[in-house]
Amino acid sequence: MNFIYENEAVKAPTFRDVKDNQFFVDGDGYLCQKTNHNSFTVVAKPDGTPYSTWIDYTALNREIQKIIPAVRKIEF
């Protein structure tokens, strides 16, 4: 069974919804990792190419594309 609602508003995730150290995809498609309440590090470009920069003074209501589920460990 599938329910279809009228005028269902789907809220886009925002920077506020991301936890510290969690990965997310920003509004431009870059893979990022939140460092604290108002900054994040960019890890890769939308095409997957490694890229690094730091963004500070980020608005909490900045819309993002998606939040990546919590990563427990990265093996390398």
Side-chain angles (χ1 to χ4, degrees):
M1 182 182 322
N2 189 18
F3 294 95
I4 300 171
Y5 301 100
E6 291 185 29
N7 300 324
E8 181 180 3
V10 177
K11 178 189 167 289
T14 63
F15 186 70
R16 175 190 325 263
D17 300 322
V18 182
K19 296 179 182 175
D20 288 359
N21 296 314
Q22 190 168 22
F23 292 98
F24 66 97
V25 178
D26 74 0
D28 297 319
Y30 288 80
L31 176 63
C32 306
Q33 184 178 18
K34 185 173 181 176
T35 54
N36 63 33
H37 68 284
N38 71 347
S39 65
F40 63 93
T41 302
V42 177
V43 179
K45 294 180 179 182
D47 66 1
T49 305
Y51 177 74
S52 180
T53 191
W54 182 60
I55 309 296
D56 199 9
Y57 303 109
T58 304
L60 292 176
N61 62 350
R62 177 182 177 156
E63 289 187 0
I64 62 173
Q65 289 184 23
K66 67 179 174 179
I67 298 172
I68 307 297
V71 174
R72 183 174 51 91
K73 186 177 182 179
I74 299 173
E75 294 181 344
F76 56 97

